[in-house]
Amino acid sequence: NDEYTEYQPEELKNLPKPKEIKAKLDEYVIGQEEAKKALSVAVYNHYKRLYNTAVKNDVEIQKSNILLIGPTGSGKSEMIRHFAKICDCPVIRINSSEITPTGWRGVGITDIIARELKNRTTIDDLKYAIIVFHEFDKITHHNQNIVGTCGTDMDNDMMRDIMRFFETDHSLHLEDSTHPSGDTYRLPVDNLLIVFDGAFSG
């Protein structure tokens, strides 16, 4: 659209269009046409929101989080893995079956995101990351006959942690353990693109 031309930095001018992103995915993932199209549009709009402040309030490119549903082997992880190569922003994959809520023993969501600071990722880069909750059905216990775990304090605390990603003006507190001072950063969740994937069988 010509009305946005004067606002476009080089990053936006060079941004691959959804068809180009999908074509790249086609090289690695056979089938799943609708999923590849939806992901390509969502990631393109994610970039567009980041690079073009003039259109951030455009309804078309409001942040749209993603739910990928499909059985094991259908290509969910493969698509996400190649987005990490295509995208110019961090793609952080969180294995849902291994995380624990804040305050519980184990690895928390913020711990996994904070690890990116060790990988020479700056806090400014993290502000526009794509966060992937892999095997999200393991957290929701969807269609699982589990006795004595659903509805526990841990389940409730876990869902509360995840819901914070959808709170307006909320920030995650990340501790950078690579600095002797143990610097703590605030990571706004507003610009994070959230992807949930899982089998959700049945």
Side-chain angles (χ1 to χ4, degrees):
N1 191 326
D2 291 340
E3 67 179 293
Y4 298 135
T5 302
E6 62 180 294
Y7 300 105
Q8 292 184 352
E10 286 303 314
E11 293 91 342
L12 188 58
K13 292 177 182 177
N14 298 328
L15 178 63
K17 298 297 187 288
K19 286 184 179 179
E20 296 170 329
I21 297 174
K22 181 184 174 296
K24 197 71 176 175
L25 287 177
D26 287 339
E27 296 177 17
Y28 304 101
V29 180
I30 298 173
Q32 306 300 342
E33 296 301 305
E34 291 304 313
K36 287 187 288 190
K37 286 178 185 177
L39 278 171
S40 298
V41 170
V43 170
Y44 174 78
N45 285 343
H46 181 59
Y47 271 116
K48 200 172 176 182
R49 291 179 70 250
L50 308 187
Y51 292 131
N52 199 337
T53 56
V55 294
K56 277 193 176 178
N57 293 323
D58 190 324
V59 173
E60 177 195 356
I61 59 167
Q62 288 295 307
K63 184 172 77 164
S64 178
N65 298 305
I66 300 166
L67 177 62
L68 283 178
I69 299 176
T72 301
S74 59
K76 302 184 301 296
S77 297
E78 191 70 4
M79 281 188 277
I80 296 301
R81 189 166 71 86
H82 288 290
F83 266 120
K85 299 177 182 179
I86 297 169
C87 298
D88 192 27
C89 60
V91 178
I92 303 173
R93 190 169 176 268
I94 297 174
N95 193 329
S96 301
S97 62
E98 297 177 355
I99 55 176
T100 59
T102 302
W104 289 70
R105 180 178 296 178
V107 180
I109 297 171
T110 54
D111 298 325
I112 294 172
I113 297 174
R115 284 178 190 165
E116 290 297 309
L117 296 171
K118 297 180 182 179
N119 299 329
R120 298 182 181 178
T121 302
T122 68
I123 192 66
D124 287 335
D125 289 335
L126 279 182
K127 289 178 182 177
Y128 308 110
I130 298 174
I131 310 292
V132 182
F133 286 91
H134 179 56
E135 295 185 329
F136 189 67
D137 50 322
K138 299 286 181 64
I139 288 181
T140 63
H141 304 303
H142 177 80
N143 209 33
Q144 298 176 33
N145 295 320
I146 300 176
V147 178
T149 57
C150 297
T152 64
D153 289 341
M154 182 172 178
D155 289 333
N156 294 334
D157 288 350
M158 177 65 71
M159 296 309 293
R160 193 175 296 113
D161 276 358
I162 292 170
M163 289 306 297
R164 291 192 177 108
F165 282 87
F166 301 93
E167 294 177 6
T168 305
D169 298 325
H170 180 71
S171 294
L172 304 175
H173 294 274
L174 306 181
E175 184 175 334
D176 185 0
S177 59
T178 62
H179 285 252
S181 60
D183 293 340
T184 300
Y185 298 96
R186 290 169 58 88
L187 177 65
V189 299
D190 294 350
N191 286 330
L192 300 178
L193 179 63
I194 311 299
V195 179
F196 298 104
D197 80 50
F200 295 97
S201 178

